[in-house]
Amino acid sequence: MADPREESEPLLSRTRGGSARRIPAGVPSCHSVQVGPGAVARRDLCLDQAVVFIEDAIQYRSINHRVDARSLWLYRRYYSSTSQWTLSFTIFLILALAFIETPSSLTSTSDVRYRPAPWEPPCGLTEGVEALCLLVFAADVSVKSYLVGWAQFRKNPWLLAYLVVLLVSLVDWTVSLSLICQEPVRVRRLLRPFFLMQNSSMMKKTLKCIRWSLPEMASIGLLLAAHLCLFTMLGMLLFPGEKDDRRDRQRLTYFRNLPEALTSLLVLLTTANNPDVMIPAYSKNRLYAIFFIAFTLIGSLFLMNLLTAIIYNQFRGYLMKSLQTSLLRRRLGIRAAYKVLSSMTAEGEAHPEGVGVKPQDFLQVLQKVQLDSDHKQAITEKLHSRSGDLLSADEFQKLFDEFDKRVIKEHPPRPEYRSPFLQSAQFLFGHHYFDYLGNLMAFGNLVTICVFLVLDAHVMPKDRDDFVLGILNCVFILYYLLEMLLKVFALGLRGTWSPPAMCSIGLLTAVLLVLEISTLAVYRFPHPGWKPEALGLLSLWDVTRLVNVLIAFRFLRVIPSMELMAVVASTILDLIRNMRAFGGILAVVYYVFAIIGIILFRGVIVAPGNSSLAPDNGSAPCGSFEQLEYWTNNFDDFAAALVTLWDVMVVNNWQVFLDAFRRYAGPWSKIYFVLWWLVSSVIWVNLFLALILENFLHKWDRRSHLQSLTGDLGATSEVTVELLFRDVLEEPTEEELAEKLSHHPHLQLCR
C-alpha cells in the first residue's frame, strides 16, 4: 500500500511567492527530485495523474479520488472497459434471477387455466449465482471506498447505502440457505434495483430531481384529493337509491358505499370507465350528466394537466443543471491536468502556474488516454496548428473542445471514369433525383401491398391468388437490386456503404433477393391460380408476408430525404439516448412493484371452477375479469407481474383489475394498485412527457443555431448535446476552479 505521507504531500511544492516549501525526507513531489531514478518515477507519476484527470474530464467523472501511483493504477483498472462491462453484466445477472428463481417464469403462458407446472431451480443454484454477484459488489464497494478515501466515504450517502444494502443482502442470503430456500419472503429481492441505481450517475441525478419536485407535486395532489372527496360526497347524496326501482342501478353499482364511490370516481378521473359510470344515472335523468361532466372537466382536463405543467416547470431547468455540473467536472479535470503538467515544466521557476505545458509532454499524455483515434488525431492536428513553445491554460483548455464533437469520416471519393458516357451515367445515377426515384418506387411498392391486403382481407391464405402480387414484388426487388448496382457504379463500393442507413438498405435488399430466389426455386415462377402447397419450412404465404414486412421496413429510407421528418427522427433518437436514466428509474419502479405484487397476490387468481370466487364465463357479469378472460394478468411469477403492471399503467380497463383483486384478495388490494397508478401513470409519465418537451423544444429551436455554430465543419463533425447547449451554460470562473482544486482531498495544490 502507498505511503500515507505521500498521499498528503502537495504535488506542486512551491508557494505563491516562489520560496520552496519544506518537504519531509523521503517523500518526493512531482518535481522535488531533480536527478536520478526518483526523478523518472516522479515524472511518470505526474504523467499518470494528468492521464487520469483527462479521462475523468472526458467521462464527466469527479476528480476527488486518490492520486498516488498505486491508487492511479487501480483507478484505471477499475474504470477500464473490461471492469465496467463485468460490473454491468453482474447487475444484469442479479436482476434477471427474478425470472428463474421461485416462482419461475419459465412457462409458455401465464394463463392460470393452461399454465403447466414451471421448472423450479434446485435450492442453491440461483443462490450460488447470487453469491458470486454479491462478491463482485463487495469488491466494487471496497475499491470505491479505498479510492475516495475514508473521509469522503463517510460523506457519501450512496456509498454508505451501498454497504448497508450489501450487508442486508448477505444476511438474507444466509437465512435462505439455512431454511433450505423455503423462506416466505426474500427481502434482498426488493433491494436488487439499488445496484442498478448506484452504478449510474444520471439515475442518481434523476432521483434527486424527482425528490426536489415532490413538494410541488404533493400540493396539486392535495387538490386532486379534495376534488375527489368532494364529488364523492356529492355522488352519495345525489344517488341515494330507491326501493323497487329497477332503473336505479347507480347506487347499487357505483355508489354502493363510500369506498366503492371513491374508487368509481378515481377511475373516472383517468376516463377508463367513461361513460359506463354515467349511463345508469343519465338514463334516469339527463341532468345527472352535469355532475359527471363537471367532475371530468375539473379533474381530468384542468387538475391533471396542471400537474403536468407543474412538473414541466420544475424540470425545465433539469437538463441545464445536469449539463452545468458536467461542464464544471470537465473543466476541473482539464485544469487539474494542466496544473500537474505545468509543474513539470516549472522546475526552478518562481511562478509555476504562469509557465505552461510543453507540447511534447501533452502528446505523451494524450497517447496514454483512453480515447478513440479520431479524436486523438483531431487534437494532435489542432496542437500542431498553433504557434509558440508552451501551452497556456486557455490554449490547453481549447484543445479539448474536440471532445464535444463526434467525428464523422468524410465521404469516400467517387470513382473516376475517362469515358464521357460513363461520366454522364455517373452524374445521373449519383444525383439526388435518382434517390427520389428510388423513394417513389418504394412508396409504390408499399401501396400495392396495402391494396392487396385490403382486397384479400376476407380470403383465407390457402384460397388467395398471389399471382399479381408475386409478379409485382419480383419486379420491385429486381429494381432494388439494379438501384444498388447503379449506386455502386456511381459512388463506388465504399461510398455506397459508408452511410449507416445505406448499409441497412443494402442488407434488406440482399435478404429480399435471397427470399425471391428461394421462392422461385421452390414454387416456380408466378402464374394465374398460383396456390402451391407448403414446401419446406415456410409456406408461400409465409414467404410473401416476410417479404412484405421487409419491404415495409425498407420504406423507412425516405426519412433522411425529408428535412422536417429527418429532424424529428434525429430528435427522437437523441431523446432515446438521453432518456436512459429515466428508463432505468422506470425499470427500478417496475421491479420493486412486481416483487411486492408477487408477495401480496401470488396464487390469489385461480382458474374458473376451482373456487367459488371464479365463476365460469357464462355466469360472469359482462365486463368483469372473468368475462373478459384476463386470466393471464396475475402475479404468479415475475414476468406475469411485469405485464400486469404494464396493463394497469396504461389505465385502460384498470377498474377491472381493481374489482377482481378486491374480490380475490380483499379490499386492501386497491391501495397497491392506486399507489402504482400514482407512481407510474401520474408521476413518471408526466415526468417523461415534461422531459420530452424540454429536450425537443431546445433541439428544435436551436437547429438553425447548430448550423451557424459548426460552420464549415458541419460536413465532417456532429455536435453533441453538451456543445448544442454550450451557449446557455455558464463557464466556471478561474476563482471557482482554483477553489475546487484547493479543496481536493488528495491533491493539495499550492496557493
Side-chain angles (χ1 to χ4, degrees):
M1 187 173 176
D3 193 336
R5 295 177 300 172
E6 179 181 342
E7 185 60 40
S8 62
E9 183 62 28
L11 292 175
L12 306 180
S13 59
R14 293 186 179 273
T15 60
R16 185 176 299 178
S19 60
R21 185 173 179 174
R22 187 177 181 274
I23 303 173
V27 184
S29 67
C30 271
H31 60 278
S32 61
V33 181
Q34 303 293 334
V35 294
V40 177
R42 299 306 299 168
R43 175 180 173 82
D44 291 341
L45 174 61
C46 290
L47 293 177
D48 290 340
Q49 289 170 346
V51 168
V52 169
F53 288 146
I54 292 175
E55 290 177 349
D56 289 340
I58 295 173
Q59 301 297 332
Y60 301 103
R61 294 195 296 254
S62 172
I63 65 171
N64 294 331
H65 52 77
R66 296 178 184 267
V67 291
D68 59 90
R70 293 183 180 179
S71 298
L72 291 177
W73 178 87
L74 179 62
Y75 187 85
R76 296 199 73 194
R77 296 302 179 275
Y78 175 78
Y79 281 108
S80 64
S81 57
T82 302
S83 299
Q84 292 302 304
W85 184 89
T86 302
L87 182 58
S88 300
F89 177 75
T90 304
I91 295 173
F92 167 79
L93 187 61
I94 197 171
L95 293 177
L97 286 178
F99 292 97
I100 302 175
E101 58 192 4
T102 305
S104 173
S105 302
L106 302 180
T107 56
S108 59
T109 179
S110 61
D111 195 318
V112 295
R113 299 171 298 177
Y114 314 120
R115 181 180 55 203
W119 174 81
E120 300 292 350
C123 182
L125 178 61
T126 57
E127 286 75 15
V129 176
E130 189 175 10
L132 294 177
C133 295
L134 294 178
L135 287 177
V136 173
F137 295 140
D140 179 53
V141 70
S142 301
V143 172
K144 284 183 176 179
S145 304
Y146 169 74
L147 290 176
V148 300
W150 174 246
Q152 292 294 315
F153 176 79
R154 289 180 300 174
K155 298 177 183 178
N156 193 322
W158 282 99
L159 287 179
L160 292 175
Y162 196 0
L163 183 60
V164 172
V165 168
L166 195 57
L167 291 176
V168 173
S169 299
L170 288 173
V171 171
D172 191 63
W173 179 84
T174 305
V175 172
S176 295
L177 289 184
S178 63
L179 296 178
I180 319 177
C181 307
Q182 298 298 321
E183 74 280 10
V185 178
R186 297 183 180 182
V187 178
R188 63 186 185 276
R189 297 181 73 182
L190 293 171
L191 303 178
R192 288 174 184 171
F194 178 84
F195 300 124
L196 175 63
M197 288 193 299
Q198 65 83 29
N199 196 48
S200 171
S201 60
M202 282 300 297
M203 288 182 65
K204 295 176 185 177
K205 294 178 183 178
T206 304
L207 200 61
K208 182 184 295 184
C209 200
I210 293 175
R211 186 186 65 190
W212 289 343
S213 301
L214 283 179
E216 287 75 14
M217 287 188 284
S219 63
I220 193 65
L222 290 176
L223 282 176
L224 280 171
H227 167 72
L228 193 61
C229 293
L230 175 62
F231 273 83
T232 299
M233 290 187 293
L234 290 177
M236 295 288 291
L237 295 173
L238 287 175
F239 312 115
E242 300 176 5
K243 295 182 179 180
D244 301 328
D245 190 350
R246 296 180 179 180
R247 294 188 304 165
D248 190 10
R249 295 175 293 145
Q250 192 71 31
R251 182 176 179 86
L252 296 178
T253 306
Y254 299 106
F255 293 87
R256 182 167 50 245
N257 49 52
L258 187 62
E260 287 295 328
L262 195 64
T263 303
S264 299
L265 291 183
L266 177 63
V267 175
L268 180 60
L269 194 64
T270 65
T271 68
N273 60 351
N274 184 65
D276 297 351
V277 69
M278 183 183 70
I279 291 301
Y282 182 60
S283 62
K284 184 178 181 180
N285 191 326
R286 67 177 68 227
L287 294 178
Y288 282 141
I290 300 175
F291 171 84
F292 298 98
I293 293 174
F295 176 83
T296 305
L297 279 175
I298 298 174
S300 300
L301 299 183
F302 288 113
L303 293 181
M304 293 300 291
N305 288 322
L306 180 61
L307 178 63
T308 303
I310 289 177
I311 294 177
Y312 174 73
N313 184 63
Q314 290 298 312
F315 272 82
R316 62 181 304 177
Y318 166 74
L319 183 61
M320 298 300 103
K321 292 179 181 179
S322 176
L323 295 178
Q324 187 68 53
T325 303
S326 300
L327 178 62
L328 176 61
R329 285 189 171 186
R330 170 161 290 186
R331 295 292 185 257
L332 199 59
I334 294 173
R335 180 55 58 90
Y338 173 79
K339 287 290 187 180
V340 171
L341 292 177
S342 63
S343 69
M344 298 170 51
T345 309
E347 295 180 4
E349 297 291 337
H351 301 282
E353 67 274 10
V355 175
V357 176
K358 295 179 181 179
Q360 56 269 28
D361 292 340
F362 174 73
L363 289 176
Q364 189 174 355
V365 169
L366 186 63
Q367 295 305 316
K368 294 183 178 181
V369 174
Q370 294 182 1
L371 187 64
D372 59 274
S373 58
D374 293 330
H375 282 96
K376 285 185 178 181
Q377 182 180 357
I379 294 174
T380 304
E381 292 176 354
K382 193 172 182 178
L383 177 64
H384 290 157
S385 64
R386 61 172 294 276
S387 58
D389 295 333
L390 298 178
L391 289 167
S392 65
D394 186 58
E395 291 175 331
F396 190 83
Q397 171 61 54
K398 289 181 178 179
L399 288 175
F400 293 96
D401 290 340
E402 299 297 325
F403 287 161
D404 294 320
K405 301 175 183 177
R406 292 195 296 265
V407 178
I408 301 177
K409 297 181 180 179
E410 295 184 0
H411 200 281
R414 295 188 177 189
E416 296 182 359
Y417 300 105
R418 295 183 178 180
S419 171
F421 174 75
L422 294 180
Q423 291 177 356
S424 301
Q426 182 184 27
F427 173 79
L428 177 63
F429 298 123
H431 200 274
H432 61 273
Y433 284 161
F434 187 66
D435 295 332
Y436 295 158
L437 177 61
N439 294 339
L440 183 62
M441 294 293 291
F443 178 73
N445 194 357
L446 198 64
V447 170
T448 57
I449 293 174
C450 294
V451 169
F452 279 94
L453 287 177
V454 173
L455 294 178
D456 297 337
H458 302 290
V459 182
M460 296 297 294
K462 63 180 181 179
D463 299 328
R464 294 184 179 181
D465 187 353
D466 296 320
F467 166 64
V468 179
L469 184 59
I471 290 292
L472 291 176
N473 281 344
C474 183
V475 171
F476 280 115
I477 291 173
L478 288 178
Y479 173 80
Y480 298 152
L481 176 62
L482 178 63
E483 181 188 22
M484 294 303 301
L485 294 177
L486 293 176
K487 283 286 186 181
V488 172
F489 162 77
L491 305 177
L493 188 60
R494 292 180 56 195
T496 304
W497 299 99
S498 58
M502 289 302 298
C503 291
S504 59
I505 292 174
L507 180 62
L508 287 176
T509 302
V511 174
L512 287 172
L513 182 63
V514 170
L515 286 176
E516 191 65 25
I517 294 175
S518 303
T519 303
L520 295 178
V522 175
Y523 298 106
R524 307 304 178 190
F525 195 78
H527 55 273
W530 195 36
K531 304 174 185 177
E533 298 295 332
L535 299 175
L537 296 177
L538 297 176
S539 66
L540 176 63
W541 173 238
D542 293 332
V543 175
T544 303
R545 285 193 302 168
L546 181 58
V547 169
N548 293 339
V549 169
L550 295 178
I551 289 174
F553 275 109
R554 195 181 183 280
F555 180 71
L556 297 178
R557 58 171 285 174
V558 305
I559 292 180
S561 303
M562 303 177 65
E563 182 179 357
L564 184 60
M565 189 182 296
V567 172
V568 174
S570 63
T571 303
I572 293 174
L573 293 177
D574 285 343
L575 287 172
I576 293 175
R577 286 193 292 264
N578 295 325
M579 295 297 170
R580 288 178 296 179
F582 295 91
I585 293 292
L586 181 63
V588 168
V589 174
Y590 259 95
Y591 198 100
V592 172
F593 269 85
I595 296 298
I596 295 176
I598 292 174
I599 296 174
L600 297 177
F601 306 118
R602 181 187 175 190
V604 300
I605 300 295
V606 294
N610 295 342
S611 172
S612 59
L613 294 176
D616 295 332
N617 291 349
S619 59
C622 182
S624 64
F625 186 90
E626 296 80 9
Q627 190 271 330
L628 295 173
E629 298 187 347
Y630 281 4
W631 301 108
T632 54
N633 292 284
N634 53 68
F635 291 88
D636 291 350
D637 58 72
F638 187 73
L642 293 178
V643 176
T644 303
L645 290 176
W646 170 263
D647 291 338
V648 176
M649 189 184 78
V650 178
V651 298
N652 184 29
N653 270 357
W654 74 299
Q655 73 276 8
V656 176
F657 296 90
L658 291 174
D659 175 70
F661 282 90
R662 176 190 62 81
R663 291 185 283 108
Y664 286 106
W668 55 267
S669 61
K670 293 182 180 180
I671 300 175
Y672 172 85
F673 289 100
V674 171
L675 285 177
W676 170 246
W677 169 73
L678 286 173
V679 172
S680 61
S681 296
V682 176
I683 296 179
W684 192 90
V685 171
N686 282 297
L687 172 64
F688 190 68
L689 176 61
L691 288 170
I692 286 179
L693 290 174
E694 175 73 9
N695 284 270
F696 185 82
L697 290 176
H698 272 88
K699 184 163 186 177
W700 187 266
D701 293 339
R702 285 177 170 82
R703 69 187 190 278
S704 58
H705 172 71
L706 177 61
Q707 298 175 356
S708 62
L709 186 65
T710 56
D712 296 335
L713 295 176
T716 59
S717 64
E718 186 175 329
V719 181
T720 59
V721 178
E722 284 78 11
L723 185 58
L724 182 63
F725 298 120
R726 185 60 48 83
D727 60 324
V728 296
L729 298 179
E730 296 181 2
E731 283 286 340
T733 62
E734 293 292 329
E735 292 77 11
E736 186 178 2
L737 294 176
E739 181 69 17
K740 292 286 185 181
L741 288 176
S742 66
H743 288 86
H744 193 286
H746 307 287
L747 178 65
Q748 297 181 8
L749 298 175
C750 298
R751 300 184 180 182

